[in-house]
Amino acid sequence: MVDKKPCILVLHGPNLNLLGRREPEIYGTFTLEDINGQLKERADELGLGIDFIQTNYEGKMIESIQESDGRYDCIILNAAAFTHYSIAVRDAIAAVSTPVIEVHLSNIYKREEFRHYSVISSVVCGQISGFGTDSYLLALEGAARMIHRGN
Ligand code: DQA
């Protein structure tokens, strides 16, 4: 029997489809395709499967989290603006057994006050914020280590 390789879901929230031209002084000039390409390359090196979803819709994000249960070993989640107010996204994360790593390109604590609070941080494994594209790559390293550790 061939062992299935561990698989990661990268879930990008609203407006992240505009990366590259969206407030580049805050979010940088990489597009979402660039970021996904870097993640795919690193996932291959780490022996991980990886899938990507971007959505501007809260319901789609919730369904993707619900459907991850039993299919993915970890979610790398940039919930974007939903981070700051979506109790429904928070409850979806709490409802599934899939571990979630919260990521942000920008340092949300250095920005407007309404971004300082994350409603999801209390139900995720950990948060990486402020390293630009590297936030995602660091989350992928974290996911790989967590999976190999077995928790
Ligand atoms: C973000 C930070 C959020 O406050 C914002 O709404 C985003 C992107 C980030 O990656 O820095 O859309 O999650």
Side-chain angles (χ1 to χ4, degrees):
M1 197 173 91
V2 184
D3 277 345
K4 187 183 144 296
K5 61 181 171 182
C7 203
I8 311 291
L9 174 64
V10 183
L11 186 51
H12 304 282
N15 299 306
L16 295 172
N17 55 312
L18 300 180
L19 284 179
R21 60 196 163 95
R22 174 192 180 199
E23 300 180 275
E25 65 291 353
I26 296 173
Y27 298 115
T29 52
F30 285 117
T31 66
L32 200 65
E33 289 65 39
D34 294 332
I35 294 173
N36 290 348
Q38 289 182 28
L39 286 168
K40 172 78 177 105
E41 209 172 287
R42 186 65 187 130
D44 287 347
E45 288 168 4
L46 291 166
L48 300 171
I50 194 160
D51 289 331
F52 303 95
I53 295 175
Q54 188 278 325
T55 181
N56 292 321
Y57 300 96
E58 190 178 9
K60 170 74 179 166
M61 179 168 284
I62 292 163
E63 282 173 2
S64 301
I65 293 165
Q66 290 179 1
E67 287 163 10
S68 72
D69 223 356
R71 291 171 61 182
Y72 290 98
D73 296 278
C74 183
I75 300 177
I76 295 174
L77 173 66
N78 187 346
F82 295 148
T83 304
H84 310 298
Y85 67 89
S86 178
I87 307 296
V89 170
R90 183 235 176 256
D91 286 352
I93 297 168
V96 297
S97 59
T98 323
V100 175
I101 301 178
E102 175 183 355
V103 305
H104 301 285
L105 293 150
S106 62
N107 179 350
I108 57 173
Y109 303 101
K110 239 170 112 175
R111 300 184 60 196
E112 302 96 324
E113 211 170 322
F114 64 85
R115 294 185 205 277
H116 295 183
Y117 188 65
S118 163
V119 299
I120 66 172
S121 58
S122 59
V123 289
V124 299
C125 307
Q127 184 200 70
I128 300 172
S129 172
F131 295 93
T133 305
D134 285 347
S135 291
Y136 285 95
L137 289 162
L138 290 166
L140 185 59
E141 301 297 330
R145 293 172 75 104
M146 209 163 63
I147 289 163
H148 289 131
R149 255 196 340 255
N151 64 350

